[in-house]
Amino acid sequence: MSEPKKRPTIRDVAKAAGVSVATVSRTLAGDYPVAAATRARIQRAVRDLDYVVNAHARALSGTTSKIVAIVVHDTTSPFFAHIASGVEQQATEAGRLCLVCTTHGDPDRELEIVKLMREQHADAVILVGGVFESEEYLERMSRYAHGLAEAGSKLVLCGRPSLGRDIPAITVEYDNTGGAFAATAHLLSHGHRRIAMLGGFAGLTTSEQRIQGYSDALTAYRVPVDPALVSHGELVRASGYERTSELLRQGTEFTAIFAGNDHVAAGALAALREAGKRVPEDVSVIGFDDTPFSEDLNPPLTTVHLPHQELGRTSVRMALQANGSSRQHVMLGTHIVVRDSVAAAPRPDSGRSRGRA
Amino acid sequence: MSEPKKRPTIRDVAKAAGVSVATVSRTLAGDYPVAAATRARIQRAVRDLDYVVNAHARALSGTTSKIVAIVVHDTTSPFFAHIASGVEQQATEAGRLCLVCTTHGDPDRELEIVKLMREQHADAVILVGGVFESEEYLERMSRYAHGLAEAGSKLVLCGRPSLGRDIPAITVEYDNTGGAFAATAHLLSHGHRRIAMLGGFAGLTTSEQRIQGYSDALTAYRVPVDPALVSHGELVRASGYERTSELLRQGTEFTAIFAGNDHVAAGALAALREAGKRVPEDVSVIGFDDTPFSEDLNPPLTTVHLPHQELGRTSVRMALQANGSSRQHVMLGTHIVVRDSVAAAPRPDSGRSRGRA
DNA sequence: ACGAGGACAGTAACCGCTTACACAAGTGTT
DNA sequence: AACACTTGTGTAAGCGGTTACTGTCCTCGT
């Protein structure tokens, strides 16, 4: 009793309009020539019956499912939220619907989801953010990726390193190396030579790339890389605070800090302030990510902007226009957002309160 | 040449296992008795062939689509992101996939999306956040809502007022009135009698409810409602700043502010500081929503917490367990998060810098 | 005047899965 | 021994579209 009347089908429309289902289908699809009068009658019938196509039936009979899936760690984090937003926008523009799943960073859950996605025959499956890639993970992911490819779904790795040569996927990521290079060069061009790098965990590709960019820039400026200035750790505020304090305590000499991300920079800022150092007069600080809060820090943080939304949009665009060999790699440029945390390096002799190694 | 091999179908599995498709289908569905040996052979075949069911075919043949759709203004705003997160979690727990769409607050776009959702035969369509409901909007929405109901989809209105009696929908919202009552009572119990209310737009149900709660509390404490203390406007930071400044400029007497939400409270805080007022010594401020940044404000903001995730989860739960008459209304409780922006009202004679009306 | 080709429309074969209905054994009952 | 179940499996009819293949007319060119 709860759902008495059945929804009308294409056949009902055909009958009401006095034509065949084929004609109705064609009229609705838009392409294909249909006489104006016939078309009008069909549209009339559609309206009268309140007809709505069944997406599943449509997807089943050969054509695409018109959906793109995005898999993120967590929808509430701004990083993922913005990428997801870009994906959603671009998907909408392309007439697609957007399926969202979360993994909470768990590789197993991610695999489970990708497996599930194969059932949906999504046009694209976009995996955002890295996870720990064990041997077993790689093996399973490879299998699923091939399954997706066979089913005609494009796999795209967004904001994370590509999985390897034998896995069919499109990779869309930031130019971390380039961004880190630019950040470091920005500091160098302000006269800094002793630049501390508060990097992410060793082993994580993203972290390594940023450290690589840092080294490259130093080398380009013929400044030796001092291991004492480079540290690895979690990219959270507490770690930035901790590592900066440690640097200060040890008396390691430095006039600038390149933080692995803005959270770390915020921590560094706090430690510096506590130690009586002024930013940017005594020490310059540059961040990475351009997280929303970075402009509210004290002082507003100069940082490397990552175009999150654009990354999402590009992922969808690439996937949807990819034909055949779907193994591409695109790298999105970054740019520095100059705010107030970087200034010229203090004159060595004015060394108001710098430690010595 | 790009997709040479076709994916195996249930028939391939049946053939490989030497059984009929019915048996395979039953084995995969889980229920229904199937001999252990047969089941094993089928699972073997599934593994060997790397068989994956086709969700569309499954959805088409009667059973549910196993997807729930959520429609929000914008995925990047924390408010929507947390509700969406709750929806996603609960949907996942219920073995559903989650489709996300954004309207950017545009009623037409919302209608367009709901219309689209009918094609998907989602188990539930969850509309989050209010929009301006014109006569035409209501009329179209009503039509679509009935369409959804006929197709067996539940419509739920989440965090927004219900649309009216003739529209079949489940409503899940916050107890705005109760929350506002509690916030105002909190201020009253601290001795405040002149409480400014920085409300949202008149006409928006949510805003009206909060103002209602405010009035009710005042009345309960036998404090007359002074229209000069109540203002309406957009619930953004600039508006809070503006309206507070105006209040100060006009010399309206008040010892506390109840802000329509935390953004407005942040603006009020800024205006107060600029005017040399101390919070909470001179003026107490209470917000609404418990937005993440509210604890980082200066001083940390006392505010009304709204259980966003829980709202999302409840929406899904209600929709999925609703049978038959799907017209329910549930209201989620709120609670005050006490931080540092509220203190006892200053003694009238200590009036260090209060204006007069 | 006649064949060619374009514009429309119809028939029916799928797409891949679920499930009502039918049927064959095996197990107790009486 | 005949009968009623219970179990396990098969057959085939949809679910609601799309589209390849055909078949009319009509209009033109020559």
Side-chain angles (χ1 to χ4, degrees):
Chain A
M1 245 200 99
S2 66
E3 295 132 39
K5 31 182 178 288
K6 274 246 123 306
R7 302 247 70 217
T9 74
I10 197 173
R11 272 168 252 270
D12 298 319
V13 175
K15 195 170 305 169
V19 297
S20 73
V21 293
T23 308
V24 176
S25 179
R26 286 167 187 144
T27 303
L28 266 28
D31 42 8
Y32 212 85
V34 174
T38 314
R39 155 164 288 136
R41 253 183 310 140
I42 291 176
Q43 284 167 343
R44 180 95 215 295
V46 166
R47 205 145 316 166
D48 291 349
L49 273 54
D50 191 25
Y51 168 75
V52 177
V53 298
N54 181 321
H56 300 297
R58 177 174 282 180
L60 183 55
S61 41
T63 62
T64 127
S65 69
K66 295 290 185 197
I67 90 170
V68 336
I70 172 170
V71 184
V72 298
H73 286 197
D74 172 15
T75 47
T76 62
S77 124
F79 170 74
F80 291 113
H82 281 89
I83 293 181
S85 158
V87 166
E88 198 268 344
Q89 281 175 30
Q90 190 68 38
T92 300
E93 280 172 32
R96 260 67 170 191
L97 253 23
C98 193
L99 220 37
V100 178
C101 302
T102 62
T103 63
H104 298 281
D106 177 3
D108 284 332
R109 177 100 189 89
E110 184 180 88
L111 287 167
E112 229 34 61
I113 290 175
V114 174
K115 188 172 171 186
L116 246 180
M117 282 309 130
R118 299 204 289 162
E119 303 182 358
Q120 298 295 325
H121 289 244
D123 294 344
V125 175
I126 301 174
L127 264 31
V128 186
V131 296
F132 177 69
E133 301 170 359
S134 66
E135 206 39 64
E136 190 213 339
Y137 169 90
L138 251 17
E139 194 269 320
R140 283 182 65 190
M141 185 56 85
S142 169
R143 223 155 20 96
Y144 294 160
H146 282 97
L148 282 173
E150 277 173 30
S153 304
K154 303 298 178 201
L155 210 210
V156 6
L157 303 172
C158 175
R160 58 186 273 176
S162 61
L163 295 170
R165 270 270 137 268
D166 58 328
I167 296 182
I170 297 169
T171 305
V172 178
E173 55 179 334
Y174 295 121
D175 183 3
N176 278 296
T177 314
F181 186 101
T184 311
H186 184 70
L187 257 14
L188 286 161
S189 72
H190 277 74
H192 296 277
R193 289 301 176 268
R194 298 286 300 168
I195 303 173
M197 163 86 205
L198 309 183
F201 283 125
L204 252 172
T205 312
T206 304
S207 306
E208 311 239 295
Q209 288 172 333
R210 294 185 189 176
I211 291 177
Q212 185 64 50
Y214 163 82
S215 310
D216 290 353
L218 288 176
T219 306
Y221 274 73
R222 305 198 182 292
V223 176
V225 176
D226 180 351
L229 288 172
V230 179
S231 61
H232 296 263
E234 197 177 354
L235 293 181
V236 297
R237 193 190 149 101
S239 166
Y241 177 88
E242 192 44 61
R243 287 192 263 165
T244 302
S245 302
E246 182 61 20
L247 239 26
L248 256 15
R249 196 176 314 127
Q250 291 179 183
T252 310
E253 194 178 338
F254 64 91
T255 64
I257 294 179
F258 173 21
N261 75 5
D262 291 350
H263 291 275
V264 171
L269 248 27
L272 253 14
R273 187 173 323 117
E274 230 176 84
K277 305 284 190 184
R278 294 166 307 164
V279 175
E281 294 81 354
D282 300 327
V283 178
S284 287
V285 175
I286 192 166
F288 209 99
D289 277 4
D290 194 21
T291 312
F293 67 75
S294 61
E295 61 179 323
D296 293 325
L297 290 174
N298 178 16
L301 187 72
T302 290
T303 185
V304 176
H305 178 79
L306 263 30
H308 295 320
Q309 295 221 156
E310 194 49 37
L311 193 75
R313 303 188 81 112
T314 303
S315 297
V316 175
R317 208 178 302 123
M318 297 267 60
L320 261 30
Q321 73 184 28
N323 24 242
S325 160
S326 54
R327 199 163 303 178
Q328 306 178 43
H329 194 133
V330 355
M331 218 170 224
L332 250 50
T334 64
H335 66 264
I336 293 180
V337 178
V338 176
R339 288 198 271 255
D340 309 329
S341 63
V342 172
R347 301 273 313 289
D349 46 314
S350 80
R352 181 174 177 282
S353 57
R354 240 171 319 114
R356 319 224 79 225
Chain B
M1 241 202 103
S2 65
E3 295 132 38
K5 29 182 179 285
K6 273 247 126 299
R7 301 246 71 217
T9 75
I10 197 172
R11 267 169 259 272
D12 298 320
V13 175
K15 195 170 304 167
V19 297
S20 74
V21 294
T23 306
V24 176
S25 179
R26 286 165 187 144
T27 303
L28 265 28
D31 42 10
Y32 216 85
V34 174
T38 315
R39 155 162 290 134
R41 250 183 312 138
I42 291 176
Q43 282 167 343
R44 181 94 215 294
V46 166
R47 205 145 315 166
D48 291 350
L49 271 55
D50 191 25
Y51 168 76
V52 177
V53 298
N54 181 322
H56 300 297
R58 177 173 281 181
L60 184 55
S61 44
T63 62
T64 129
S65 69
K66 294 290 184 198
I67 90 169
V68 337
I70 173 170
V71 183
V72 297
H73 287 196
D74 172 14
T75 47
T76 60
S77 125
F79 171 74
F80 291 113
H82 281 89
I83 293 182
S85 158
V87 167
E88 199 269 344
Q89 282 174 28
Q90 189 69 37
T92 300
E93 280 172 30
R96 259 69 170 189
L97 253 23
C98 192
L99 220 36
V100 177
C101 301
T102 63
T103 63
H104 298 281
D106 178 4
D108 285 332
R109 177 101 189 88
E110 184 182 87
L111 287 167
E112 231 30 65
I113 290 175
V114 173
K115 189 173 169 184
L116 246 180
M117 281 309 129
R118 301 204 287 163
E119 303 182 359
Q120 298 295 325
H121 290 243
D123 294 343
V125 175
I126 300 174
L127 265 31
V128 187
V131 298
F132 177 69
E133 300 170 359
S134 66
E135 208 38 65
E136 190 213 340
Y137 169 90
L138 252 16
E139 195 269 319
R140 284 183 64 190
M141 185 56 86
S142 169
R143 223 156 20 97
Y144 294 161
H146 283 97
L148 283 175
E150 277 173 31
S153 303
K154 303 297 179 206
L155 210 209
V156 6
L157 303 172
C158 175
R160 57 186 274 175
S162 62
L163 295 169
R165 269 270 138 268
D166 57 330
I167 296 183
I170 298 169
T171 306
V172 179
E173 55 179 334
Y174 296 120
D175 182 3
N176 279 295
T177 314
F181 186 101
T184 311
H186 184 70
L187 256 13
L188 286 161
S189 71
H190 278 74
H192 296 277
R193 288 300 176 266
R194 299 287 299 167
I195 303 173
M197 163 87 208
L198 309 183
F201 283 126
L204 251 172
T205 310
T206 303
S207 307
E208 309 240 295
Q209 290 172 334
R210 293 184 190 178
I211 291 178
Q212 185 63 51
Y214 163 80
S215 311
D216 290 354
L218 288 177
T219 305
Y221 274 73
R222 307 198 180 293
V223 176
V225 176
D226 180 351
L229 287 171
V230 179
S231 62
H232 296 263
E234 196 176 355
L235 293 181
V236 297
R237 190 191 152 104
S239 166
Y241 177 87
E242 193 44 61
R243 287 194 264 165
T244 302
S245 302
E246 183 60 21
L247 238 27
L248 258 13
R249 197 176 314 125
Q250 293 180 182
T252 310
E253 195 180 336
F254 64 91
T255 64
I257 293 178
F258 173 19
N261 75 7
D262 291 349
H263 292 275
V264 171
L269 250 25
L272 253 15
R273 187 174 321 118
E274 227 175 89
K277 305 283 190 185
R278 293 166 307 164
V279 174
E281 293 81 355
D282 301 326
V283 178
S284 287
V285 175
I286 192 166
F288 209 99
D289 278 5
D290 193 19
T291 313
F293 67 75
S294 62
E295 62 179 323
D296 294 325
L297 290 174
N298 178 20
L301 188 71
T302 290
T303 185
V304 177
H305 178 80
L306 264 29
H308 296 319
Q309 294 222 156
E310 193 49 37
L311 194 74
R313 303 188 80 111
T314 303
S315 297
V316 175
R317 210 179 301 124
M318 294 269 92
L320 261 29
Q321 74 185 27
N323 24 241
S325 161
S326 54
R327 199 162 304 176
Q328 307 179 41
H329 194 132
V330 354
M331 216 170 224
L332 252 50
T334 65
H335 66 263
I336 292 181
V337 177
V338 176
R339 289 199 270 254
D340 309 329
S341 63
V342 172
R347 301 275 312 290
D349 46 314
S350 79
R352 181 174 176 280
S353 55
R354 240 170 318 113
R356 320 227 75 222

